[in-house]
Amino acid sequence: MKKRIQSETHETVDWEHKPINALGGLRAIAVTTGGTTIDGLLEYHVEGTVDGVYVESLNFRNLPQYVIVSVKGGSNMLSKTLFKSVTVFAS
């Protein structure tokens, strides 16, 4: 008797070039600089400063440190002080 094993494939997102607000709610897996793996949904946040600069960021629920950040609508950047890598999935 043959067993059929289903494999799941997950499409990843080019998070560096996609609008950061479109990444909120998507699943991501990140590896911290200490080697811990975090798997969860990304939450989108935007904050403005007094001088009109705004910062958009993504973090995991219940983890206040951002994973990905964009300043003044610029490119998306990984928070390299806390994370080694992040993979964002389309669904």
Side-chain angles (χ1 to χ4, degrees), residues 3 5 7 13 20-21 24 28 30 34-36 45-46 48-49 52 59 65-66 72 77 83 85 90-91:
K3 288 186 179 181
I5 299 173
S7 63
V13 174
I20 194 168
N21 61 349
T36 302
H45 300 276
V46 63
T49 62
N59 64 290
Q65 296 84 5
Y66 62 81
K72 297 193 297 186
M77 297 175 290
F83 295 94
S85 65
S91 58

Side-chain angles (χ1 to χ4, degrees), residues 9-65:
T9 57
H10 299 283
E11 182 181 345
T12 59
V13 174
D14 180 9
W15 61 265
E16 292 178 270
H17 299 101
K18 192 162 183 91
I20 194 168
N21 61 349
L23 301 172
L26 296 181
R27 178 177 174 235
I29 297 175
V31 179
T32 69
T33 54
T36 302
T37 300
I38 302 171
D39 184 341
L41 299 179
L42 294 173
E43 292 184 333
Y44 171 76
H45 300 276
V46 63
E47 298 177 36
T49 62
V50 182
D51 56 358
V53 174
Y54 65 96
V55 177
E56 296 173 284
S57 63
L58 294 161
N59 64 290
F60 290 106
R61 182 170 292 154
N62 299 322
L63 184 66
Q65 296 84 5

